[in-house]
Amino acid sequence: MSILSIKNLHAEVDGKEILKGIDLEIGAGEIHAIMGPNGSGKSTLSYTLAGREGYTVTKGEVVYQGKNLLEMLPEERAQAGVFLAFQYPVEIPGVPTVTFLKQAMNSVRKARGEKQLDAFEFKKLMDARLKELNIVNDMVRRALNTGFSGGEKKRMEVLQMALLEPTLAILDETDSGLDIDALKTVADGVNALRAADRSMLVITHYQRLLDYIVPDHVHVLFEGRIVRSGDKSLALELEEKGYTDITGAAA
Amino acid sequence: MTTSNDNGLLADHTALAAGLPGAGAGWIDALRADGAKRFAGLGLPTRKVEEWKYTDLSALARSRFAPCCGAAPAHAKPEIPAPLVKDGPQAVFVNGRFDPELSSLGGAPEGITALPLAEAIAQMPKLLESYMGRVAELGRKSLVALNTAWLADGFVLHLAKDVRLTRPLELVFWGDSGSDGERSAWHPRHLIVLDPGASATLLERHIGRTGGHFANSVTEIAAATGASLRHYRLQDEPGDAVHIATTEVALSAGASYESFVLSKGAVLARNQIAVTLQGEGASASVNGAYMGRGSQITDTTTLIDHAAPGCTSSQTYKGVLDDRSRGVFQGRIVVRKDAQKSDGHQSNKAILLSDRAEIDAKPELEIYADDVKCSHGATAGELDDNALFYLRARGIPEHEARGLLIDAFIDGAIGTITHETVRDAFRDHAEAWRQEGGT
């Protein structure tokens, strides 16, 4: 069953067309990787799916679980189970991480018709997730992402994903700025969240992330279009030959 | 430079002053007469006066005022909040007049004198004579002059050497007087004197109902060697009131003053605070948060005068302005020639929630010493789009996300309040303001 269906998606930023006709089908529980060089439109695709202002869809459609995703507000998309793990999580001084997590969680639960969690219930749940993800530190007691290291920020994204239990997780360059140890930790967290009812779209420039988060399908994005699709061996081929060969062949 | 005085602010001064508390005592007669004379010459400040360039009192000047001074009884039963700290001392003023029935001062412990001004004039004239009008030099300040012309009611707090007042002393000002035809004005005058090593916490709440009153208060504070005062003010006046509060602080060696003003009420509010660091090692922490919507104007004008070596001062102000409201921040730091090793910092940050909101900021550093650390910074902007999107991308509805960001922003100032109960209460008041606006 298709969770996400993207058809002929065109989008522009500041009047410049970045996505020039994307087609992509993601089924339940599948992991798709989108690889591409800088400027190919990877981040534009993730922000467009998350509903960021300034990313204007000019053509095409995106259907998520039978609904028109493009008509939904960013918060409605999140409530419906679309989760974007940011490439650069935003530092928000003055907002305590725990307050934020609880408010996000209860907003999503409210939209799904589930009971609101009180402070005690929430803490119990959060502590359980922290333990599962092996996050043993004081991150949640600090202001949201403020002064966090690159690795801490990415782990915070994974924690949020674990709490919000999305149906579709979009991981935007989750490997950027991470050393290999941090990368492994984050990938372990993501892998722990793999489930039959959870699809993932992993966006990355480098193949190495896909050593740890192994995809079912790999797509190559170039100049706003998907120019090749294949299984995980495509990622290895890219690693070997570089983007020029692949995109050159496609062009 | 002057506006006409036919608005009644000084009407019948000679006759009415003769009936004020302490009339007949030479010093107080002279003080009032001098205030009246100066105000008659100056009138309310116009925008041609440099310090009033951004805040226009012409509507106030054109009003008609009832004869002084706010003796009108309350139209409605005053709603006086319970003391912030349970069973704490509370002095209540209704329409500018001390109300003994509503006040609960209890018996003051030894070494503490806490009295309404009228009683203090009778009981401790020497203390008053030696401080009043000395700290707040009349100079060209017409509003202080007007206040002095009518000084009759207010509060006096005197702490003897090393005495500590642990619970906050609360002053509640409830106003609802006036009508369309005539407005009421009152001019509370407070004197706080801390002897060496004494410490106290003072909390003021300015509240009431509509009536278009004009509250023009003056507070004089003198802290002797090593004394410390925490001074918190919640300005939540009704939406048609004009609130002008002048505070003059003189700090001796090692004395400290912490001030926080949360300004969210009144159609026009101005808090002007002048602190003179007179003795070596004195410190001042002068902070606040201001919020405006509709066509409110909220003005903060500070002067921190480093007059002795080794003193520190810091100022942290945050403002949130919506609709067509306007904020004014004028912050001046002076470091005199002999005030080496001075450390003075000032920051004013404002968030504009609407295209039509405005902030006028004028920071000024005047430094005559060469070995000092001073800084100032002023920013104005909108809520951070990146932060807003991040919160919404986690399922938090836009208005809640904006609320989180506004609270976090304001908290950067409220966090300077060292008294925990007051800090929590002010945080609640700031949040309530935000929620009233539907954010």
Side-chain angles (χ1 to χ4, degrees), chain B residues 4 91 99 128 158 166 177 210 215 236 252 304-305:
Chain B
S4 65
D99 188 321
L128 267 56
H158 174 230
T166 47
S177 182
T210 51
D236 194 10
S252 299
I304 310 291
D305 184 354

Side-chain angles (χ1 to χ4, degrees), chain A residues 50 52 73-75 78-79 83-84 86 90 92-95 100 103-104 107-108 144-145 157 160, chain B residues 384-401 404-405 407-409 411:
Chain A
R52 181 163 204 158
L73 296 171
E75 54 267 40
Q79 290 159 3
F83 181 92
L84 170 64
F86 282 61
V90 184
I92 310 187
V95 173
F100 158 73
Q103 198 155 338
S107 297
V108 168
L144 183 54
N145 292 326
E157 296 293 290
Q160 291 170 33
Chain B
D384 180 359
D385 277 343
N386 285 328
L388 202 56
F389 175 65
Y390 186 76
L391 297 174
R392 294 176 72 189
R394 294 297 174 259
I396 299 175
E398 184 179 3
H399 73 276
E400 285 181 33
L404 271 175
L405 294 177
D407 289 350
F409 174 74
D411 210 46

Side-chain angles (χ1 to χ4, degrees), chain B residues 56-112:
Chain B
D56 187 357
L57 294 184
S58 59
L60 188 74
R62 285 193 306 269
S63 302
R64 256 177 54 83
F65 289 91
C68 204
C69 286
H75 292 282
K77 189 173 182 294
E79 291 158 19
I80 306 303
L84 206 61
V85 174
K86 200 170 179 289
D87 301 327
Q90 197 176 49
V92 176
F93 294 79
V94 175
N95 292 338
R97 284 288 154 101
F98 178 73
D99 188 321
E101 301 287 309
L102 293 171
S103 301
S104 52
L105 284 165
E110 175 131 0
I112 299 178

